[in-house]
Amino acid sequence: MITQAIVRKPCHAIINALTTSDMGPPDYQAALSQHAAYTDALRNCGLNVIELPADENFPDSTFVEDVALLTPQCAILTRPGAPSRTAEVIAMTPVIQEYYESVEIIDAPGMLDAGDILLAGEHYYIGLSGRTNRAGAEQLISILSRYGMTGSVVRLNTVLHLKTGMGYLDNGDMLVSGEFTDKPEFTPFHQIHLPSEEAAAANCLLINGTVLMPEGYPCARQIVEAQGYPVKTIDISEFEKIDGGISCLSLRF
Ligand code: CIR
């Protein structure tokens, strides 16, 4: 059961965050209030939320998910693939060490963004993307196997991260869209297809019985509710301008 989450306040420099979109820079004040509402939603799901201060050295530092993978057995500090993000891990290390006895790291030449890691049931899928290379994925698989866990790679074509276009709920229910609709790796799952114009809603989180989804995707919401999941939507439009989704804004454990 998930009991805690780590978040980091957006910094002023968020206006310079990396993006592939043409939606313009986020509005700092709006990002702050959306982030506060996101944090409240995590609390309302029963989590104790550890709030880290803004870090002006790293425009993308509010996307804490990418710098670590927190498993029941150990924590793995990643080595983010974007040069401007690689050193975000340094500030996160003491925080993770406070909560985990076993802390592993991904080393060069490995690159790994944890936004590329999807836990589906008991297995970790690792997207090979512009941010995660084979060396990073192989290091992770070998760490997981030392702790009795499993992982395998999935090649990505167009999306930034694996979880940009898919998500896992429970009991084999997997949300898929775009390039993920015909991946042989995912045929064992009950695939729930989202319309391509609402693909961003596949990045959602099931926390203690509630699915947190981004606001503004009415079809996706209906589809998930029709599967019997209670849904809470959160407006994260400022983070979507810089390629952020629901999962990116927290580390859960
Ligand atoms: C980046 O390009 O790294 C950020 N602007 C977005 C990170 C999104 N993180 C995630 O999907 N886990």
Side-chain angles (χ1 to χ4, degrees):
M1 184 178 160
I2 296 170
T3 57
Q4 315 216 59
I6 299 171
V7 299
R8 187 184 286 288
K9 263 203 174 138
C11 55
H12 287 90
I14 195 171
I15 56 167
N16 299 316
L18 299 171
T19 189
T20 57
S21 94
D22 55 3
M23 291 189 268
D27 178 88
Y28 170 66
Q29 287 302 337
L32 272 187
S33 47
Q34 290 183 0
H35 193 264
Y38 175 87
T39 303
D40 282 348
L42 294 178
R43 286 204 182 94
N44 291 337
C45 290
L47 302 189
N48 173 47
V49 183
I50 300 143
E51 281 190 84
L52 305 178
D55 184 346
E56 291 296 342
N57 295 315
F58 299 102
D60 286 289
S61 53
T62 193
F63 298 119
V64 286
E65 172 176 66
D66 291 314
V67 300
L69 177 68
L70 303 183
T71 80
Q73 267 49 265
C74 65
I76 299 125
L77 293 163
T78 65
R79 187 165 174 274
S84 66
R85 300 202 60 193
T86 311
E88 282 179 31
V89 174
I90 296 168
M92 188 57 82
T93 303
V95 181
I96 300 296
Q97 281 168 339
E98 208 175 304
Y99 296 94
Y100 274 86
E101 266 180 30
S102 303
V103 180
E104 306 285 341
I105 51 166
I106 301 296
D107 285 321
M111 295 190 326
L112 184 76
D113 276 16
D116 275 320
I117 305 168
L118 177 83
L119 175 63
E122 303 280 299
H123 186 78
Y124 291 90
Y125 288 95
I126 307 154
L128 294 179
S129 68
R131 301 285 181 87
T132 296
N133 62 12
R134 195 166 277 280
E138 280 172 1
Q139 285 181 39
L140 177 63
I141 292 168
S142 124
I143 294 167
L144 290 173
S145 77
R146 274 200 277 124
Y147 288 87
M149 298 174 281
T150 58
S152 57
V153 298
V154 181
R155 188 169 292 284
L156 309 186
N157 300 320
T158 55
V159 291
L160 174 68
H161 285 133
L162 178 66
K163 281 186 289 194
T164 307
M166 62 179 307
Y168 183 78
L169 298 174
D170 198 9
N171 294 321
D173 291 340
M174 182 175 268
L175 296 176
V176 292
S177 65
E179 67 178 271
F180 297 107
T181 51
D182 53 9
K183 286 259 187 254
E185 292 91 333
F186 300 133
T187 45
F189 294 97
H190 171 227
Q191 297 190 17
I192 302 162
H193 293 247
L194 300 186
S196 56
E197 62 284 7
E198 296 202 6
N203 181 292
C204 61
L205 286 175
L206 173 64
I207 302 183
N208 300 333
T210 301
V211 179
L212 299 183
M213 295 185 78
E215 206 163 286
Y217 304 91
C219 292
R221 178 185 184 148
Q222 228 172 29
I223 290 168
V224 171
E225 283 177 336
Q227 297 292 324
Y229 293 94
V231 169
K232 155 87 183 148
T233 59
I234 311 169
D235 184 3
I236 53 161
S237 56
E238 297 309 313
F239 302 101
E240 289 177 330
K241 293 176 180 173
I242 46 174
D243 296 339
I246 289 283
S247 73
C248 321
L249 289 166
S250 61
L251 281 163
R252 290 84 41 198
F253 61 109

